[in-house]
Amino acid sequence: MVKAYLRYEPAISFGVVASPESNVAYDPSGRLLLAAALDRFAAWDLKRGLPSLSFATASPSPSLAVFCLATFPSAASASASSIASGHADGSIRLWDTETGSCEATLHGHRSAASALVFGPSGAIIASGSKDCDIILWDVVAQAGLYRLRGHRDQVTGLVFLDSGKKLVSCSKDKLIRVWDLDTQHCLQIVGGHRSEIWSIDVDPSERFLVSGSADQELRVFTVRKSAEEGEDWSKWDMLKLFGEIPRQSKERVATVKFNKNGNLVACQVAGKTVDIYRVLDETEAARKAKRRMHRKKEKALAKSMAAEGNGTVIDPLSAQDLQNPTPVVTDIFKLLHVLRVNKKICSVAFSPNNPPKGCLATLSLSLNNNMLETYSVDNENVSKMYSIEMHGHRSDIRSLALNSEDNLLMSTSHNAVKIWNPSTGDCLRTIDSDYGLCSAFVPGNRYALVGTKSGTLEIIDINSGSSIEVIEAHASSIRSIVLIPNEDGTAGARGFVTGSADHDVKFWEYQLMQKSDNDSKQLSVTNVKTLKMNDDVLAVTISPTGNHIAVALLDGAVKVFTMDSLKFALTLYGHKLPVLCMDISSDGVLIVTGSADKNLKIWGMDFGDCHKSIFAHTDSVMDVKFVSKTHYMFSVGKDRTVKYWDADKFELLLTLEGHHAEVWCLAISSRGDFIVTGSHDRSIRRWDRTEEQLFIEEEQEKRLEETFEADLDSAMDHRYGQKDGAPDEGSVGVPGRKTKETVTAADAIIDALDTAEEEVKRLDQHQEGQNNGNGTTFQPNVIMQGQSPSDYVLNVVSNVRPNDLEQALLSLPFSDALKIMSYLKEWSMVPLKVELVCRVCLVLLQTHHSQLTTTPSARSILTELKGILYSRVKECKDAIGFNLAAMDHIKELLAMRSDAPFRDARAKLMEIRQEQSRRSDRSDGAEKRKKKKRRTSGES
């Protein structure tokens, strides 16, 4: 009989607040901050410091890591997709803002998405990628429109201009390109940067476009408003260099962002600072230009007076320049603040909502130590408002431990210990500590032990969330803490054992100490005996019955001793590199060791013989543990995977993928119903045992299929992908790409066409038989579910996802394309399918144009479709126009209600308040200038 096992599935992931690879963005309402957390992202309520909604893909995978986020601010009340995310595999996903569910997945890029932006209407998304391409997507149709090629390196930034008719892109190829989306061509190429361009942004009024690179200046361009504007503009140019702003930092620019009003621009560098510039309006800029010219005039007079004595002549300044000076870039962009934080900044975002009273804007930052911070910016300073840091460690997680009831999880990092609820992922306690390398709960679950890198042993009170005692236990780092079990295998109060790099294995006992008469008794420990080893101790484990202790040394050997007398019993030697982890099964029969040589070895505890050596991971094995009362075991490694094994059959049962970096540690519940893993990516993942059965043979076949499909995908990308040479200048390509889904859709269409063709033949034969007097009953094909051949094929084509339809049709041979063309006339009579028919016809005509025009049977089809499709599209267009006019009429009727004037009054009131705040800011500035002049005149 074939043995069945129970499958483990990913349950929840927690511990990550913000990924360093992605940007942060405010949600459409402007109240929540979106921050990516590896392969998902969350909407954070900054005031409460809690996530309000989580957006996650169906299955976690490193290839689905979120690399960029974009939102459409005007869609706060709309039901359409107003949040988009770009992922490491090049896919773009559209999300529902209310439920957090993924509405559509768009495949087109061959490598990670690096830039993403919504158009002004919210109906179009532009995405840029590391494959140097830009793709325009239709949000409503959930399909690609076209691909723009021209950049020779990663696209780093995108902005729309001219009401969405123009698109500006920047790249690491040091160029800025302006694209006309109506003609789908590149209008202008802007050079001048001496290094890679990392970010661009345009102010809301589209006066200025700012670009940032590794140069010491920000370049500012003026944006052309209309074709008639200015005689000094070239015919096709949209951008003209206005000037350069000197930067404060020497590090490269990472992000350039304007706020909602356009009066502030933030320049975030790839370091710990953000330069915030004030964008002055025309009157303030003119006033500053006059002051500049006045200073220049004074300097010119001083020079001319000095020159008269020398006999030289100085050209005087023109009256035009003195009376109406032209503002330069330094007159408009004024450095307001330099924001410095403690850690490297990954991304910045301005809040789209109105700032608090007295503030200019609200700025949110994501830091590379897994934190989010929000600052208020005013004229005087920048002050911190909120910080989100409790929900994750500042660095990678080095150890995990579950208590005896499996309702508390402890994790250690370089500066803190956190207590979690493993069921919900909520952080319950955060305790400051030294760099914790190992940890364990004390029986009773009131206290916990942490072994640190400095060799100290910390005793933590769980209830109070504090460290009650720090003991200098070892002279070097403590690598293992193992509780000594009772003889029946349960966790007892006999003490624990620590192993350290100072060559010592120490045995400890618990004590309850009372420091003073008024204090309550607290836990303390004392060292009762020490086992000296001849090399660094890397791991220690004790058999569940407490009879033997195994010690792994730096020389690659594992030595087994008896617990009572510490008499040497066995040596397990066979690993080529040091053993990093090990565990003994519940019955004490097997011991498994995991090593830096990527192997697992299963040994017998009776004679120390090696039962099996398994090449387990493609990198070092970091932790291994048996499931209680079984010979099943889990191992984790630096190859980012978690693997489930049968130690009796020496078979791999399951590979769990989800972590984005090295997996350091592992904890298994006492019943084996879930496991928890901690990683270098700062995430903690829980994997639950399900009722679904798995079989070894099926899993092996599935792994072979996945390997084959991965090879197929890579071969497909190599065949249909962009060639290594430079792309054509400003060329346009097909937006989608060939995937497993498109191949499956093409196969489904071909099968449907074949089935329909056979059915038509059977119908003709039946009709011929009836004409000849053979009155047999016709039996329709069950597969077609009572549909006619035409309706059956139409149903299959309609079920193909809009984004995959074009690539699926491109995969069809010409003979099948002709068959589909023959059905188009009948399909066009269905009102709801006119758009689909036009799209199918257009793709097939573009793909097979030369063959269709030379095939006699196709000419008659094309001639019929020419008249039919034109009239059907005109009918649909008229119906849509009629409906739009009706909705405008309803809108006017609603606007005539009694509350409409009050809505207008509210908007007017907000405008008046904003104007008053601007005037007060100006008056404050003028008052300060007057005081300064008085002080200087008094001093003189």
Side-chain angles (χ1 to χ4, degrees):
M1 184 177 175
V2 179
K3 187 173 182 179
Y5 304 86
L6 293 180
R7 185 182 297 276
Y8 283 79
E9 295 283 354
I12 58 170
S13 172
F14 52 94
V16 180
V17 178
S19 299
E21 297 87 7
S22 175
N23 64 310
V24 292
Y26 277 86
D27 78 324
S29 68
R31 293 182 290 104
L32 305 175
L33 182 67
L34 303 177
L38 304 179
D39 48 24
R40 61 184 181 88
F41 61 98
W44 292 88
D45 188 330
L46 297 174
K47 291 183 180 179
R48 295 166 54 219
L50 296 173
S52 296
L53 191 61
S54 182
F55 302 81
T57 53
S59 58
S61 172
S63 64
L64 298 179
V66 180
F67 270 42
C68 49
L69 293 169
T71 59
F72 179 56
S74 303
S77 60
S79 60
S81 303
S82 51
I83 297 177
S85 61
H87 297 262
D89 63 348
S91 62
I92 309 297
R93 283 173 166 77
L94 305 177
W95 304 85
D96 189 305
T97 54
E98 295 181 359
T99 62
S101 59
C102 181
E103 293 193 333
T105 302
L106 310 173
H107 292 285
H109 293 293
R110 289 180 294 277
S111 55
S114 55
L116 200 60
V117 64
F118 274 89
S121 65
I124 290 178
I125 293 178
S127 64
S129 168
K130 291 182 179 179
D131 62 6
C132 314
D133 291 349
I134 301 165
I135 299 180
L136 276 295
W137 307 91
D138 188 336
V139 176
V140 179
Q142 298 178 357
L145 297 174
Y146 45 85
R147 183 191 300 264
L148 301 174
R149 290 198 178 111
H151 284 295
R152 287 165 171 79
D153 208 335
Q154 172 185 334
V155 180
T156 53
L158 297 167
V159 291
F160 281 95
L161 295 178
D162 193 14
S163 302
K165 296 177 182 177
K166 306 289 190 297
L167 178 70
V168 183
S169 62
C170 67
S171 168
K172 289 168 73 174
D173 62 5
K174 308 177 188 177
L175 298 176
I176 296 174
R177 287 178 177 266
V178 183
W179 306 85
D180 188 330
L181 300 186
D182 292 334
T183 61
Q184 301 172 15
H185 280 81
C186 182
L187 284 180
Q188 183 184 3
I189 301 176
V190 182
H193 280 284
R194 299 180 296 278
S195 57
E196 300 168 339
I197 306 173
W198 287 95
S199 181
I200 57 172
D201 199 18
V202 66
D203 66 328
S205 59
E206 295 187 3
R207 290 169 58 208
F208 303 109
L209 183 139
V210 181
S211 63
S213 67
D215 303 341
Q216 285 302 300
E217 308 87 15
L218 289 174
R219 292 174 70 86
V220 181
F221 301 88
T222 52
V223 182
R224 191 175 191 173
K225 293 286 185 180
S226 61
E228 294 80 15
E229 180 184 332
E231 297 178 357
D232 53 346
W233 285 83
S234 177
K235 182 178 180 182
W236 303 109
D237 285 357
M238 281 292 295
L239 302 176
K240 185 169 68 173
L241 182 64
F242 181 52
E244 296 180 344
I245 311 170
R247 296 196 294 113
Q248 301 296 310
S249 174
K250 294 183 179 180
E251 294 166 313
R252 72 166 178 85
V253 174
T255 311
V256 176
K257 285 285 183 186
F258 278 93
N259 69 335
K260 182 184 178 183
N261 299 326
N263 60 349
L264 291 179
V265 59
C267 171
Q268 174 234 328
V269 302
K272 301 179 182 179
T273 60
V274 179
D275 299 336
I276 302 173
Y277 295 87
R278 180 78 181 266
V279 184
L280 305 180
D281 57 20
E282 293 179 358
T283 55
E284 290 175 327
R287 195 181 302 122
K288 191 174 179 183
K290 284 184 179 179
R291 289 200 302 270
R292 176 174 53 81
M293 293 305 296
H294 182 69
R295 290 193 300 270
K296 194 173 182 180
K297 179 183 176 183
E298 291 177 349
K299 289 180 181 178
L301 286 172
K303 285 184 179 179
S304 63
M305 291 175 65
E308 285 177 2
N310 300 333
T312 57
V313 179
I314 302 294
D315 293 335
L317 295 173
S318 65
Q320 179 68 23
D321 289 341
L322 290 173
Q323 291 297 325
N324 298 309
T326 304
V328 296
V329 66
T330 51
D331 295 333
I332 298 175
F333 290 85
K334 171 189 172 185
L335 181 64
L336 186 64
H337 300 296
V338 177
L339 171 61
R340 289 182 172 86
V341 295
N342 295 327
K343 290 294 180 180
K344 186 177 177 182
I345 304 170
C346 298
S347 176
V348 299
F350 278 108
S351 172
N353 290 349
N354 293 324
K357 190 176 180 181
C359 295
L360 296 174
T362 304
L363 182 67
S364 292
L365 318 175
S366 69
L367 308 182
N368 75 337
N369 66 339
N370 204 22
M371 282 178 61
L372 293 173
E373 291 184 347
T374 303
Y375 292 82
S376 63
V377 182
D378 54 29
N379 288 317
E380 301 299 327
N381 59 3
V382 181
S383 56
K384 186 188 290 189
M385 296 173 64
Y386 313 112
S387 177
I388 298 175
E389 56 183 333
M390 188 184 75
H391 300 272
H393 282 285
R394 306 282 74 78
S395 66
D396 51 348
I397 294 152
R398 296 311 302 258
S399 75
L400 292 172
L402 284 164
N403 67 347
S404 59
E405 297 175 358
D406 297 331
N407 58 2
L408 290 179
L409 172 70
M410 177 168 57
S411 61
T412 64
S413 183
H414 82 291
N415 66 347
V417 174
K418 286 184 178 287
I419 309 297
W420 308 82
N421 181 343
S423 301
T424 61
D426 295 334
C427 181
L428 307 177
R429 299 278 190 277
T430 300
I431 306 110
D432 292 335
S433 75
D434 202 352
Y435 199 134
L437 295 179
C438 52
S439 57
F441 278 94
V442 175
N445 302 327
R446 288 184 56 197
Y447 299 97
L449 304 168
V450 176
T452 66
K453 196 173 184 178
S454 61
T456 58
L457 185 66
E458 298 186 6
I459 302 175
I460 292 171
D461 189 338
I462 303 295
N463 294 331
S464 64
S466 61
S467 177
I468 59 175
E469 189 176 3
V470 178
I471 302 165
E472 297 291 336
H474 289 271
S476 188
S477 58
I478 301 176
R479 303 290 177 82
S480 283
I481 295 179
V482 186
L483 302 181
I484 301 175
N486 294 325
E487 292 183 359
D488 58 356
T490 59
R494 297 172 60 186
F496 61 95
V497 178
T498 58
S500 168
D502 63 359
H503 302 189
D504 287 350
V505 177
K506 292 190 176 182
F507 294 76
W508 305 80
E509 286 185 352
Y510 304 117
Q511 287 184 343
L512 286 175
M513 304 285 288
Q514 190 172 9
K515 293 182 180 179
S516 64
D517 295 338
N518 297 328
D519 294 338
S520 60
K521 289 185 178 181
Q522 290 184 335
L523 181 72
S524 182
V525 296
T526 55
N527 181 21
V528 291
K529 53 183 174 180
T530 302
L531 175 62
K532 295 282 185 181
M533 308 302 295
N534 55 5
D535 212 336
D536 291 10
V537 177
L538 299 183
V540 176
T541 188
I542 299 174
S543 62
T545 56
N547 296 330
H548 294 89
I549 179 171
V551 182
L553 303 178
L554 189 61
D555 60 5
V558 177
K559 296 190 175 182
V560 183
F561 301 87
T562 57
M563 276 291 289
D564 50 1
S565 62
L566 296 183
K567 183 179 177 182
F568 175 72
L570 296 169
T571 297
L572 310 178
Y573 191 79
H575 283 288
K576 296 176 182 177
L577 291 173
V579 173
L580 303 177
C581 53
M582 56 184 174
D583 195 24
I584 300 175
S585 61
S586 302
D587 55 7
V589 174
L590 299 177
I591 178 172
V592 60
T593 55
S595 167
D597 62 8
K598 311 172 189 176
N599 290 327
L600 285 174
K601 288 185 183 289
I602 301 168
W603 315 76
M605 281 293 289
D606 45 4
F607 302 110
D609 56 325
C610 181
H611 292 185
K612 186 70 174 179
S613 180
I614 305 170
F615 181 72
H617 293 264
T618 56
D619 210 331
S620 302
V621 183
M622 299 309 299
D623 204 354
V624 61
K625 281 186 171 60
F626 277 101
V627 178
S628 179
K629 298 179 182 178
T630 68
H631 282 181
Y632 307 146
M633 60 185 184
F634 282 93
S635 65
V636 298
K638 283 187 176 180
D639 60 356
R640 309 178 180 185
T641 60
V642 182
K643 296 194 175 183
Y644 184 31
W645 306 86
D646 186 342
D648 290 331
K649 293 189 174 183
F650 317 122
E651 290 281 359
L652 174 63
L653 304 179
L654 201 58
T655 300
L656 303 173
E657 295 181 346
H659 281 291
H660 295 234
E662 299 92 336
V663 188
W664 295 126
C665 48
L666 165 73
I668 303 180
S669 66
S670 57
R671 297 186 300 275
D673 54 345
F674 70 90
I675 68 166
V676 186
T677 53
S679 169
H680 182 69
D681 61 14
R682 300 172 185 156
S683 71
I684 301 173
R685 293 181 184 268
R686 197 186 85 221
W687 316 79
D688 286 355
R689 186 172 63 198
T690 63
E691 296 301 318
E692 182 186 353
Q693 292 184 339
L694 69 91
F695 301 94
I696 295 176
E697 292 78 9
E698 289 182 1
E699 292 300 314
Q700 290 173 345
E701 290 177 8
K702 194 181 294 183
R703 285 194 290 272
L704 286 173
E705 287 177 6
E706 289 174 356
T707 306
F708 174 73
E709 287 175 355
D711 294 341
L712 183 68
D713 287 344
S714 61
M716 206 177 287
D717 285 343
H718 179 72
R719 180 180 175 186
Y720 296 98
Q722 192 174 341
K723 301 296 184 289
D724 293 334
D728 296 336
E729 190 62 36
S731 61
V732 182
V734 178
R737 70 181 178 94
K738 207 166 187 178
T739 60
K740 288 182 288 185
E741 290 80 6
T742 60
V743 174
T744 305
D747 291 341
I749 293 173
I750 292 172
D751 290 342
L753 288 170
D754 293 341
T755 305
E757 188 178 16
E758 291 177 5
E759 189 72 0
V760 169
K761 287 180 181 178
R762 291 179 62 239
L763 279 169
D764 291 341
Q765 292 174 0
H766 176 72
Q767 189 68 32
E768 187 179 346
Q770 280 189 336
N771 294 337
N772 295 333
N774 186 6
T776 57
T777 306
F778 179 74
Q779 293 293 332
N781 194 338
V782 181
I783 298 175
M784 299 179 66
Q785 300 176 350
Q787 298 173 336
S788 66
S790 175
D791 292 344
Y792 176 66
V793 178
L794 176 60
N795 190 31
V796 172
V797 174
S798 302
N799 288 335
V800 178
R801 290 193 307 180
N803 188 46
D804 297 335
L805 181 60
E806 187 170 1
Q807 286 292 328
L809 294 173
L810 288 174
S811 303
L812 296 180
F814 178 67
S815 58
D816 289 321
L818 267 181
K819 294 177 186 176
I820 287 187
M821 295 284 283
S822 64
Y823 289 114
L824 292 181
K825 180 182 176 182
E826 189 176 345
W827 293 352
S828 63
M829 299 302 153
V830 182
L832 295 177
K833 300 297 181 183
V834 174
E835 184 184 355
L836 176 67
V837 170
C838 293
R839 193 174 172 204
V840 171
C841 183
L842 185 63
V843 172
L844 294 178
L845 194 59
Q846 288 175 337
T847 308
H848 304 286
H849 179 265
S850 57
Q851 287 175 288
L852 285 170
T853 52
T854 55
T855 304
S857 60
R859 291 179 190 170
S860 58
I861 298 174
L862 294 175
T863 307
E864 291 179 359
L865 287 174
K866 181 181 177 182
I868 294 172
L869 289 182
Y870 181 78
S871 60
R872 295 297 294 160
V873 170
K874 190 174 183 304
E875 288 176 12
C876 289
K877 189 176 178 182
D878 292 343
I880 293 171
F882 181 83
N883 291 336
L884 286 173
M887 284 191 286
D888 287 338
H889 180 64
I890 294 171
K891 187 177 178 182
E892 289 177 5
L893 292 176
L894 292 173
M896 291 170 64
R897 288 185 176 181
S898 58
D899 62 340
F902 295 99
R903 288 204 301 270
D904 296 339
R906 193 184 303 117
K908 191 69 178 175
L909 181 64
M910 295 302 295
E911 289 179 11
I912 293 170
R913 285 179 178 173
Q914 287 180 358
E915 185 64 30
Q916 285 177 344
S917 65
R918 288 198 198 102
R919 287 177 182 171
S920 63
D921 291 343
R922 288 177 199 162
S923 62
D924 291 344
E927 193 69 30
K928 287 178 184 176
R929 285 194 296 273
K930 287 179 183 176
K931 288 180 181 178
K932 190 176 180 181
K933 284 183 180 178
R934 288 175 194 154
R935 283 200 303 269
T936 53
S937 61
E939 289 171 359
S940 62

